[in-house]
Amino acid sequence: MDKLAERLKAYIESHPIDLGDSDCKTVLDQLYQAYAETHESDPPEISEGFRELEEFLGTLPLEDNNTVFNLCCRLCSAYEHKAFLDGIQYGVHILAELK
C-alpha cells in the first residue's frame, strides 16, 4: 500500500492540476464550486426559514433589511462551504481508518 501511495504522490507532483480561471485555490474548493452551482433547490425547512426571515425583515427599513439579509446569506454560504469540505475530509479519514 505504501508503494502505491508513493507512486500516486509522485504522479500528482509531476502532473499539477490546472484549475483554470476559477478563483479556487484547491481541488476541494473547485469540487465545492461545482456542487454549489449544480445542487438542487433548498429543502423545505430552509425555504421556510428564509420566508420567516423575510417576514421579520419586512419590518425594518430597506437598507437595514438588505444588510441583515446579505449577512445571513453570507453566513449560510460560508457554513455550507465549511460543511462540504469537512464532510469530504471526514470521509477520507473514515476510509483511512477502515483500511
Side-chain angles (χ1 to χ4, degrees):
M1 186 64 152
D2 289 334
K3 193 173 193 176
L4 178 61
E6 289 172 18
R7 289 177 56 199
L8 182 57
K9 182 179 178 191
Y11 178 84
I12 290 171
E13 289 172 353
S14 65
H15 295 84
I17 239 175
D18 179 7
L19 297 176
D21 293 332
S22 77
D23 292 333
C24 299
K25 295 179 181 158
T26 68
V27 174
L28 281 176
D29 286 335
Q30 194 166 41
L31 185 59
Y32 171 73
Q33 183 178 5
Y35 160 77
E37 291 174 359
T38 61
H39 75 281
E40 297 178 14
S41 61
D42 293 329
E45 59 270 14
I46 291 175
S47 296
E48 179 59 29
F50 273 107
R51 274 192 290 281
E52 290 177 33
L53 179 62
E54 287 177 12
E55 287 176 22
F56 173 76
L57 293 177
T59 65
L60 299 177
L62 183 58
E63 187 175 335
D64 293 341
N65 176 318
N66 289 340
T67 300
V68 173
F69 187 79
N70 289 333
L71 174 60
C72 286
C73 289
R74 282 196 325 269
L75 289 170
C76 288
S77 294
Y79 188 79
E80 179 185 59
H81 183 249
K82 182 184 179 329
F84 181 88
L85 297 181
D86 286 352
I88 290 176
Q89 289 173 334
Y90 276 101
V92 169
H93 285 280
I94 288 170
L95 285 174
E97 288 178 12
L98 292 175
K99 292 194 178 206

